[in-house]
Amino acid sequence: EYADEVILCYRRQSMAESTSSCSGNPIELGPTRGTRNNIRDARVAPTHVAKDGTLTFEDGSVLARGDFAAEDVVVVLATGYHVSFPFLDADNISWDDNNVRPLVEHIFPAQGDIGPTLSFIGLPWKVVPFPLFECQALWISKLLAGDTSATMPSDVVIKESVNAGRPAHHSHMLGDLQWDYNLNLLSLAGISSSSARQMHRSWRQRMYDASGRNKRARGDHYRDESPFDELDLDHAREEEVQRAGGINLCELIAQNTMTSV
């Protein structure tokens, strides 16, 4: 299912313009666009939602509840987040500036005897998230189950991964490093290199790269047209059907049904 209407709001870099002329006036939205013709742009960010559903924006303009095409309205605040784990013993873990450290492979505490009973799933960003999270979860679950095929990195590798020397707030940003990271996790989980390569599926990397190029080239309008090769889309749809049937990563590897092209 897809949203009947999506209104994309952007926080202005400067609000030097006077808001008095807009105060209480209906907001001006851009024309509908996108592959489903359901996206409209609001060049300001909302600041208040009234009980009757009216949205007030930072320039004083408003969008009344009756102006929405959809019956139900959901406001998603895509503001990012600050990592914090105040319920943890801070002797072995810190998380200032969104840098959770020291960790082995962005997952296990590198100090003390906490890992692998304590693990973090989902810290890496600028990645294709769920396949990466599944690789993390597979390694963690095998270690917790006592599977002898799963191993921890050597002390030297642990030291290198902990002392990566990157800016603190970029410590979990992977980008193009995510592909080797995934393969390494599968290797640590005891998955053979051939099966791990099947999981990698180069079509996913091609779609990730195409999406990045499209965003850089088209800016706010990158959603208007699909940048993906049709064959790659077919592979993605095939995987979606498999996942909808409840097949997980381990089963796909075991059945040798994962497309590697």
Side-chain angles (χ1 to χ4, degrees):
E1 295 184 7
Y2 299 94
D4 294 326
E5 184 175 34
V6 176
I7 298 175
L8 294 179
C9 304
Y10 308 83
R11 182 170 297 282
R12 291 185 178 181
Q13 296 297 319
S14 171
M15 281 300 295
E17 302 93 340
S18 172
T19 62
S20 58
S21 60
C22 296
S23 182
N25 292 334
I27 189 170
E28 293 185 8
L29 297 175
T32 56
R33 60 181 180 85
T35 56
R36 296 180 177 83
N37 205 38
N38 65 341
I39 299 174
R40 304 184 73 185
D41 295 292
R43 296 293 177 172
V44 287
T47 58
H48 179 73
V49 183
K51 289 184 177 181
D52 64 359
T54 298
L55 286 174
T56 300
F57 294 83
E58 58 188 349
D59 64 352
S61 60
V62 297
L63 183 63
R65 176 65 184 83
D67 294 334
F68 290 105
E71 180 178 345
D72 298 316
V73 176
V74 177
V75 177
V76 179
L77 302 177
T79 58
Y81 56 89
H82 294 289
V83 172
S84 179
F85 303 101
F87 48 85
L88 293 179
D89 183 350
D91 290 344
N92 293 318
I93 293 290
S94 64
W95 49 83
D96 54 294
D97 202 12
N98 276 9
N99 178 15
V100 184
R101 66 183 190 276
L103 296 180
V104 179
E105 299 294 347
H106 305 274
I107 297 175
F108 297 121
Q111 297 178 356
D113 56 358
I114 303 175
T117 58
L118 174 66
S119 55
F120 296 85
I121 295 179
L123 289 177
W125 54 280
K126 205 172 183 181
V127 298
V128 181
F130 297 109
L132 183 146
F133 302 162
E134 197 165 20
C135 291
Q136 292 181 321
L138 179 63
W139 183 37
I140 294 167
S141 62
K142 283 199 163 193
L143 286 173
L144 290 176
D147 190 325
T148 56
S149 66
T151 59
M152 289 289 284
S154 68
D155 290 341
V156 173
V157 173
I158 289 176
K159 184 177 180 180
E160 289 176 349
S161 72
V162 169
N163 301 314
R166 307 180 70 183
H169 61 283
H170 284 171
S171 60
H172 302 298
M173 182 184 74
L174 295 187
D176 290 338
L177 299 176
Q178 65 182 295
W179 316 113
D180 286 340
Y181 175 78
N182 289 349
L183 291 172
N184 184 52
L185 291 184
L186 291 173
S187 175
L188 291 170
I191 305 300
S192 69
S193 59
S194 60
S195 294
R197 286 291 173 186
Q198 285 183 311
M199 182 275 161
H200 173 71
R201 282 169 287 184
S202 56
W203 59 261
R204 195 194 310 282
Q205 184 173 351
R206 288 195 298 269
M207 292 182 73
Y208 175 87
D209 292 340
S211 178
R213 290 192 299 270
N214 188 45
K215 288 179 181 178
R216 290 188 292 273
R218 300 178 63 85
D220 296 345
H221 297 278
Y222 74 92
R223 299 175 180 85
D224 291 356
E225 296 179 8
S226 171
F228 305 123
D229 180 86
E230 280 299 320
L231 185 59
D232 289 339
L233 281 172
D234 286 341
H235 291 314
R237 294 185 186 110
E238 178 186 354
E239 179 181 89
E240 184 177 12
V241 171
Q242 291 176 318
R243 295 306 181 104
I247 299 179
N248 60 36
L249 175 64
C250 297
E251 291 170 327
L252 287 172
I253 291 174
Q255 295 175 13
N256 197 28
T257 60
M258 303 181 75
T259 305
S260 59
V261 296

